[in-house]
Amino acid sequence: MLFRSDGWLFARSLGAYRLKPDRVQWRALVRFQHVSSEGDDGFFRSVTGYPRNHVHVSAGERRDGGFRWFVRGQWFSGWTWPEYLEPARRTKPADLTLDATIGKTLFSGRLEALVSLLNLPDRALGVHPAGVEEQMAVRLTLAFLVPQ
């Protein structure tokens, strides 16, 4: 055996949904995870690069005329990036993100055009300890839809 990894990951989620087709659809999710590496640094580094706690709330609606909207807010607890050894290892603080999307179907429902605003508060989100920071961004999406 070339690589052996020992440890375990415990993750639990609890969610609530309200999915009525003719009304605003709501989703809420709370996730908790805990890792025990039992002293195995390889296992620890491969499964702990995510926040321990995560709360996700979203709402969206499809309207007449092919319009739709979607809003998502997420909170992530702080965590430590395991890929870096001391003294470069640093803890990422808790973060709150907010994204919004509007869209419209075109050509009798065969194409959907979406505009998403990511990181609406335009806060610098440190997503990697090497210094990469996300700022507010606009994402344009064209999706070809297969008729059912």
Side-chain angles (χ1 to χ4, degrees):
M1 178 186 295
L2 295 174
F3 177 74
R4 181 170 175 212
S5 185
D6 290 322
W8 55 272
L9 171 67
F10 173 81
R12 289 293 179 255
S13 298
L14 177 64
Y17 298 87
R18 180 176 169 251
L19 304 174
K20 292 191 175 184
D22 58 336
R23 303 183 86 186
V24 175
Q25 298 183 0
W26 292 91
R27 294 175 176 87
L29 174 75
V30 176
R31 185 185 72 213
F32 165 81
Q33 74 178 23
H34 176 73
V35 174
S36 174
S37 66
E38 299 177 2
D40 186 334
D41 198 48
F43 180 84
F44 174 77
R45 282 189 268 153
S46 66
V47 297
T48 58
Y50 303 99
R52 186 172 188 169
N53 302 303
H54 173 208
V55 177
H56 168 106
V57 177
S58 64
E61 182 180 26
R62 290 191 180 269
R63 308 282 301 211
D64 292 338
F67 290 99
R68 79 174 193 162
W69 62 268
F70 178 80
V71 177
R72 174 182 60 206
Q74 298 182 96
W75 175 83
F76 301 95
S77 64
W79 76 91
T80 301
W81 283 91
E83 300 92 28
Y84 290 81
L85 300 176
E86 296 296 343
R89 184 178 287 175
R90 69 175 212 219
T91 298
K92 183 183 178 307
D95 252 328
L96 181 66
T97 63
L98 181 62
D99 305 324
T101 299
I102 57 170
K104 167 89 171 98
T105 56
L106 307 164
F107 303 111
S108 301
R110 292 193 174 108
L111 180 74
E112 186 171 34
L114 303 162
V115 177
S116 299
L117 299 174
L118 309 173
N119 187 14
L120 277 171
D122 197 18
R123 291 190 351 239
L125 299 174
V127 295
H128 196 275
V132 176
E133 291 187 350
E134 288 185 4
Q135 295 177 322
M136 188 172 123
V138 176
R139 177 175 58 207
L140 304 174
T141 305
L142 288 177
F144 295 96
L145 306 175
V146 178
Q148 295 181 5

